[in-house]
Amino acid sequence: MSEYKSFDLLRKMYFVRTAGSAEDKKIQEILLDECKKFTDDVVLEEFDIDGYEIKKASLVFHDPQMSFDCAGVGLSGSTDQCGVTGEFCYLSSEADVEISDIEGKICLVTGKLVKVSMYKKIFNKKPAGLILTTGSVYDSNEDTDLDPYMYRDKHYNIGKIPAVCISMSDAEKLLRAMPLKATLTIIQDEKVNKTSNVVATIEGGSKKDEVVAFTAHYDSVSFSRGAYDNATGCICIMQLLSYYSQHKPDRTLKFIFCGAEEMGLLGSKAYVEKHADQLDKYCLNINVDMVAVTIGYDIACATSGMDLVNYINYEGKINGFAIMAKQGVYSSDSTPFADKGVPAVSFARIAPNGGAQIHSKKDVIDFLSENNYYKTCDFLTKFSERLINSICFPVKRDIPENMKEELDYYNGRKERKN
């Protein structure tokens, strides 16, 4: 492995960096400058993302009279200044019996992001508004980040339902009181923002027309400094960039630091769209999303044939590295590559329940292990180098039918049968 110590880069990235923000520009420059230490072929590839600015968000209940702190849900549309008033109801599931009579009502749905199949059912029944939740019933409001995910394009392409988000502990209090009516107000300006992918290239040797792409996303969610998710993935592929700058690969390598992953994998989607006419040269995508955690276990999720799954498990045993590889679709930047026919695998070190948390202010450096981090980097170096320099690329460039179906489910093109 390279003498370069990428774990030191972690502290430079240790700040909230939501896509489209001023901090987003700052992290791009940090990554750009770091990449230039290892290759002159580094570019920013800019793309558009949907954005918003919440002007007003409020939630008031009647009979009994109650109010709760709330945050507006981005890209959910706007009410007028007086808001919308309707009968209050709680949707605990997407069962037809619950959703059959919600027209004009204000509906509570637990979670920050509604399942697309459920959202479609709800939208077709014409509710007046939605109340989403974040946090835990065990957390005080002071310990809860009111950081709802903005709606994804899968949602607002169906249609917009004005929405706000409250804490889960407030939702529990609300359901105990069960008021008759609610007034929900949200006013927001929707706009187009800019962000970029940072792309570094190391040209290959004898097989330079074939490409292996490494990816990791650099953005975080609101409130989160994103040490675990996913500064660790970025520094890991930076470590690999350092290594291959000193050990010339047979195949061409792309190191793609993806923007706006937390908004729905937008950076990797933008990359595969921009480079659609070149993807037939891409042999494999290796994605790294969350490693280095102290309490955890290493996994690999391959959207490919079982040949890659078996190879990763074999490499783990040969190198004495405990890893569990399986076939599947991982919700990260590997998925857009697989959806375009490029075999892809995501590596992660998963924290168990009660371990390190992501998507909150609790995602901090304190729960990361430098030793665990370099063990993962060492394994990924050995794993990738054998593939990259192989005489014939051993991973079949084909997405099997069962994985195509899983991609359809993930992307909302199909709905699973109950």
Side-chain angles (χ1 to χ4, degrees):
M1 192 165 65
S2 168
E3 292 300 313
Y4 170 67
K5 295 298 182 184
S6 56
F7 201 80
D8 297 340
L9 176 60
L10 191 65
R11 294 198 179 276
K12 293 183 182 180
M13 301 179 64
Y14 196 45
F15 54 89
V16 178
R17 45 191 192 275
T18 54
S21 65
E23 293 75 19
D24 191 37
K25 298 286 187 186
K26 179 181 176 182
I27 191 64
Q28 290 167 26
E29 291 302 320
I30 289 171
L31 292 169
L32 193 68
D33 289 344
E34 199 74 12
C35 288
K36 286 178 180 177
K37 294 178 180 179
F38 310 115
T39 177
D40 293 329
D41 191 348
V42 191
V43 295
L44 291 178
E45 294 186 354
E46 189 177 72
F47 59 96
D48 293 339
I49 55 173
D50 291 322
Y52 63 93
E53 182 181 356
I54 303 295
K55 299 290 188 178
K56 180 181 179 182
S58 67
L59 184 62
V60 177
F61 295 90
H62 316 278
D63 303 318
Q65 193 81 11
M66 311 170 69
S67 65
F68 294 101
D69 290 338
C70 68
V73 175
L75 300 178
S76 67
S78 294
T79 64
D80 61 27
Q81 290 292 336
C82 296
V84 289
T85 298
E87 184 181 336
F88 171 68
C89 68
Y90 170 42
L91 303 181
S92 63
S93 74
E94 61 179 297
D96 291 340
V97 68
E98 286 211 279
I99 298 176
S100 62
D101 182 26
I102 60 171
E103 184 170 351
K105 295 182 181 180
I106 309 292
C107 306
L108 171 68
V109 181
T110 53
K112 290 193 288 188
L113 193 62
V114 184
K115 185 179 172 184
V116 173
S117 60
M118 184 175 186
Y119 185 85
K120 186 174 183 180
K121 282 185 176 183
I122 292 171
F123 179 81
N124 289 336
K125 295 297 183 179
K126 301 179 181 178
L130 292 183
I131 305 166
L132 308 182
T133 65
T134 186
S136 161
V137 293
Y138 299 106
D139 294 335
S140 67
N141 283 357
E142 291 74 23
D143 292 331
T144 301
D145 301 327
L146 279 178
D147 61 333
Y149 291 137
M150 55 181 274
Y151 279 0
R152 303 292 196 259
D153 55 359
K154 298 174 192 175
H155 296 86
Y156 58 74
N157 286 340
I158 294 170
K160 295 179 179 179
I161 309 171
V164 298
C165 185
I166 64 174
S167 71
M168 186 67 88
S169 58
D170 279 347
E172 200 268 345
K173 295 170 189 172
L174 174 61
L175 291 176
R176 286 183 181 275
M178 207 60 194
L180 296 179
K181 289 186 177 182
T183 298
L184 182 155
T185 306
I186 177 170
I187 309 293
Q188 64 183 300
D189 289 339
E190 298 182 4
K191 54 188 177 180
V192 175
N193 288 330
K194 302 282 187 184
T195 189
S196 297
N197 293 324
V198 182
V199 183
T201 303
I202 294 183
E203 187 177 49
S206 60
K207 298 178 177 63
K208 66 180 180 181
D209 290 337
E210 296 180 18
V211 180
V212 173
F214 293 90
T215 51
H217 76 87
Y218 65 78
D219 61 315
S220 75
V221 299
S222 300
F223 297 97
S224 175
R225 287 178 284 180
Y228 179 30
D229 181 19
N230 183 39
T232 57
C234 287
I235 65 173
C236 183
I237 70 168
M238 193 70 76
Q239 184 75 36
L240 291 163
L241 172 59
S242 167
Y243 179 84
Y244 285 112
S245 71
Q246 299 170 42
H247 302 80
K248 186 172 177 65
D250 286 346
R251 290 173 173 83
T252 295
L253 306 182
K254 297 285 184 180
F255 296 84
I256 308 158
F257 300 85
C258 298
E261 188 266 1
E262 299 290 3
M263 294 173 64
L265 318 183
L266 300 187
S268 46
K269 287 178 180 177
Y271 184 87
V272 297
E273 287 176 13
K274 179 179 177 65
H275 299 276
D277 60 344
Q278 303 159 26
L279 290 182
D280 60 343
K281 298 178 181 179
Y282 283 58
C283 303
L284 181 66
N285 165 235
I286 299 171
N287 182 60
V288 186
D289 195 348
M290 303 187 304
V291 292
V293 71
T294 303
I295 302 176
Y297 53 94
D298 283 83
I299 64 106
C301 183
T303 315
S304 68
M306 285 300 296
D307 53 352
L308 181 57
V309 175
N310 293 334
Y311 177 64
I312 295 167
N313 284 324
Y314 290 156
E315 280 290 316
K317 291 172 183 176
I318 290 167
N319 289 287
F321 182 74
I323 187 166
M324 294 180 287
K326 67 176 184 177
Q327 193 182 48
V329 173
Y330 193 83
S331 186
S332 188
D333 290 308
S334 52
T335 298
F337 281 87
D339 205 38
K340 296 297 184 182
V342 180
V345 56
S346 278
F347 289 90
R349 183 171 170 84
I350 302 297
N353 290 336
Q357 292 186 24
I358 63 170
H359 296 165
S360 77
K361 60 192 171 194
K362 296 177 182 178
D363 184 353
V364 293
I365 289 177
D366 308 54
F367 305 111
L368 302 181
S369 161
E370 187 170 354
N371 185 52
N372 286 342
Y373 168 72
Y374 283 117
K375 285 181 180 178
T376 300
C377 288
D378 184 58
F379 174 76
L380 287 177
T381 301
K382 292 172 180 175
F383 157 77
S384 63
E385 188 169 37
R386 291 185 68 178
L387 289 174
I388 289 163
N389 295 325
S390 59
I391 301 300
C392 295
F393 203 78
V395 180
K396 187 177 180 182
R397 199 188 182 287
D398 178 61
I399 306 298
E401 290 303 315
N402 65 323
M403 288 295 96
K404 288 180 181 177
E405 187 171 45
E406 289 299 319
L407 287 164
D408 285 341
Y409 293 141
Y410 179 87
N411 288 298
R413 296 187 292 258
K414 283 185 179 180
E415 292 185 15
R416 293 186 190 276
K417 296 178 181 178
N418 294 330

